[in-house]
Amino acid sequence: ECTFWGDPHLKTFDGGRPSFYGDGEFYIVTSDTVVIQGRYMGTKYTAGLAATNKVVVGGPFLEDHVISVGTLEDGPITVDGKPVLKEFPSSYRLDDLAVITYSAEGKLVDKATKDWEKKVVTMELPGDVRVEVFRWANYLDLRITMPKQPNQDGSCGNMNADASDDTTEAIFARIGARVPNGKLLFMDRAPVTLTEVEEKLLLMCEPSRLAKARTACARDLSVVRGEPSTVQTKSCLLDLCYGSNEHTLKMAKSLGLVPEIIE
């Protein structure tokens, strides 16, 4: 399984622990069959460092239908752009392809959320693909279970039984830093922003690492929309400077970079 939780943490199918701190639309899973994309966005509770904000599922295995689930603050759950699962609990059948339920059932990804009311979207999808989305106020936790797909890659890794190549840098080198134009399952792109804390973190990035990240981001962002903006480049640099540190928020707090009130 591949899991996402908290502020943010991620474990790939092979057990890798990459981190993605910049805003944008990413491939969680890309393959010839299954496509799962994620919108990673900063919150006031994470000093702008990205958490999972929205997930969309589509691709040939769903006959190009698109299921979209965002945070509780984000708005309705949709299938092909139309709201579904308006009641809680409820269920929805997508033709003979999928059953989607909205309930309080599901094993938590993050035990730290045990006292919160669970609102879980469970997708039983073709080919033994199962996606569980735990909706919280301004972020999502996520669990994906599935067999390996042809040409699979993404934030969840390439499922080759080798965690060592599931690094942020290696994933970007293979598939690009963001979902390319023309491949986006989202209706649009969310604006990319950087907080003061993130700007300070970039200033702290070790010079040789930053230089290498600049070269990689120029290459890996080119697949998105041609020449990236300054803020898009900085967002990518943040990923590569800190992608191997899953506790960047904790580090920033320990260095006094994060204001005490995050209410």
Side-chain angles (χ1 to χ4, degrees), residues 42 62 98:
L62 267 187

Side-chain angles (χ1 to χ4, degrees), residues 201-218:
L201 285 169
L202 282 178
L203 290 174
M204 292 170 54
C205 185
E206 197 272 322
S208 63
R209 179 183 287 270
L210 183 61
K212 189 177 178 183
R214 287 191 187 282
T215 300
C217 286

Side-chain angles (χ1 to χ4, degrees), residues 20 23-27 171-173 175-179 216-217 219-224 236 239-240:
F20 303 91
D23 292 352
E25 288 77 30
F26 294 69
Y27 279 119
I171 291 166
F172 281 6
I175 64 169
R178 303 293 187 270
V179 177
C217 286
R219 175 196 68 214
D220 300 339
L221 280 175
S222 64
V223 301
V224 178
C236 176
D239 289 327
L240 293 180

Side-chain angles (χ1 to χ4, degrees), residues 21-175:
Y21 291 114
D23 292 352
E25 288 77 30
F26 294 69
Y27 279 119
I28 294 176
V29 174
T30 178
S31 72
D32 295 347
T33 48
V34 177
V35 179
I36 305 174
Q37 297 175 4
R39 175 168 289 154
Y40 307 161
M41 298 289 291
T43 75
K44 61 184 179 181
Y45 300 100
T46 58
L49 296 172
T52 311
N53 173 268
K54 196 167 195 173
V55 172
V56 291
V57 183
F61 90 126
L62 267 187
E63 298 180 4
D64 295 321
H65 291 289
V66 176
I67 303 166
S68 176
V69 182
T71 67
L72 294 174
E73 294 176 355
D74 182 72
I77 301 157
T78 65
V79 173
D80 299 331
K82 297 176 181 176
V84 298
L85 301 171
K86 299 175 188 177
E87 304 296 325
F88 181 83
S90 59
S91 64
Y92 176 85
R93 180 175 288 277
L94 175 56
D95 300 333
D96 291 325
L97 293 170
V99 175
I100 312 166
T101 59
Y102 190 28
S103 72
E105 300 301 316
K107 181 183 176 183
L108 288 171
V109 178
D110 182 7
K111 291 179 181 176
T113 60
K114 62 183 175 58
D115 294 328
W116 300 352
E117 182 186 6
K118 284 196 294 186
K119 295 201 168 181
V120 188
V121 178
T122 302
M123 308 177 206
E124 301 288 355
L125 305 170
D128 293 323
V129 177
R130 190 171 197 263
V131 180
E132 291 175 277
V133 183
F134 294 77
R135 304 180 82 202
W136 310 118
N138 56 20
Y139 76 98
L140 305 174
D141 289 337
L142 179 66
R143 179 185 290 111
I144 302 168
T145 54
M146 58 187 285
K148 185 175 181 177
Q149 305 296 310
N151 296 311
Q152 182 172 331
D153 217 317
S155 298
C156 280
N158 54 11
M159 212 189 279
N160 66 347
D162 180 4
S164 69
D165 63 4
D166 286 350
T167 64
T168 306
E169 185 177 1
I171 291 166
F172 281 6
R174 292 193 300 262
I175 64 169

